[in-house]
């Protein structure tokens, strides 16, 4: 015979602790949600740009803010030192709307095959630029002061594929001769790049 009291308690326990994943992240039980699930204080400070490219992207995605799940939006703070570069990358699941808050930033993206047209612009404080879905794009601080930008992205989990890291820094390495042929250069040049990444 089924003990219904026991079954009901079990159902409640399962509902409370069950995690339904949406796009890889847990959907919380609405009754357990707190203000902090919708909150992030990680953009108060300037990002640390002491690295090889002189820029730092601080993300606000579903990873930082669980309350963003399923809502189709995220953002990032991007800090640049003079000459700092946010290197060529793509977002697998998002178009990006990029706004300059401080400084002078050169931006660009490249359209798809066969044209591979390079679309580029120099942005001033207050200017906005669009990086369409999945196209390779970058930003570079061409001023002599620090620069700051805010990006908004049309996914709670936009995905970032940095071209150099994906091509030359994969684990394990893509065969050197595959890349030498693809980039029409020598194995030595490719090995040097693979060593860096
Ligand atoms: C910034 O990053 C560099 C390199 O990782 C590190 O040495 C330095 O301590 C960091 N600075 C701050 C203020 O965290």
């Amino acid at each position: 015979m089924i003990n219904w009291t026991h079954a009901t308690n079990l159902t409640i326990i399962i509902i409370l602790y069950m995690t339904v994943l949406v796009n890889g992240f847990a959907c919380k039980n609405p009754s357990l949600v707190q203000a902090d699930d919708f909150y992030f204080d990680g953009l108060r400070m300037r990002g640390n740009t002491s690295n090889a490219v002189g820029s730092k992207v601080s993300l606000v995605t579903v990873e930082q803010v669980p309350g963003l799940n399923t809502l189709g939006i995220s953002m990032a703070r991007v800090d640049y030192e003079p000459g700092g570069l946010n290197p060529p990358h793509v977002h697998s699941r998002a178009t990006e709307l990029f706004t300059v808050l401080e400084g002078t930033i050169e931006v660009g993206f490249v359209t798809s095959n066969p044209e591979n047209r390079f679309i580029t612009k120099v942005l001033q404080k207050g200017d906005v630029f669009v990086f369409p879905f999945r196209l390779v794009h970058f930003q570079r601080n061409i001023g002599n002061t620090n620069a700051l930008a805010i990006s908004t992205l049309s996914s709670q989990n936009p995905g970032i594929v940095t071209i150099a890291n994906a091509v030359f820094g994969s684990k394990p390495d893509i065969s050197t001769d595959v890349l030498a042929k693809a980039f029409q250069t020598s194995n030595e040049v490719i090995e040097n790049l693979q060593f860096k990444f």
Side-chain angles (χ1 to χ4, degrees), residues 105-134:
I105 298 178
E106 174 194 12
V107 298
F109 69 83
V110 179
T111 69
S112 59
N113 292 349
E115 295 83 7
N116 295 125
R117 226 183 119 201
F118 179 43
I119 309 281
T120 184
K121 185 95 182 154
V122 171
L123 307 181
Q124 308 294 340
K125 178 174 177 167
D127 292 355
V128 174
F129 200 78
V130 177
F131 300 116
F133 224 82
R134 297 180 181 141

Side-chain angles (χ1 to χ4, degrees), residues 30-126:
S31 65
L32 299 178
V33 156
Q34 304 293 329
D36 280 352
D37 291 318
F38 301 90
Y39 171 77
F40 185 63
D41 66 2
L43 297 192
R44 290 180 184 182
M45 308 288 278
R46 190 169 175 270
N48 184 348
T49 58
S50 298
N51 54 52
V53 289
S55 77
K56 175 69 182 177
V57 178
S58 306
L59 294 168
V60 190
T61 70
V62 66
E63 199 135 12
Q64 289 75 29
V65 181
L68 279 173
N69 207 14
T70 75
L71 298 183
I73 193 167
S74 61
M75 66 177 291
R77 170 186 175 134
V78 194
D79 288 282
Y80 312 80
E81 59 190 37
L85 174 73
N86 185 9
H89 63 279
V90 300
H91 301 292
S92 321
R93 291 175 289 274
T95 286
E96 175 172 352
L97 201 51
F98 179 86
T99 307
V100 178
L101 299 190
E102 297 293 342
T104 305
I105 298 178
E106 174 194 12
V107 298
F109 69 83
V110 179
T111 69
S112 59
N113 292 349
E115 295 83 7
N116 295 125
R117 226 183 119 201
F118 179 43
I119 309 281
T120 184
K121 185 95 182 154
V122 171
L123 307 181
Q124 308 294 340
K125 178 174 177 167

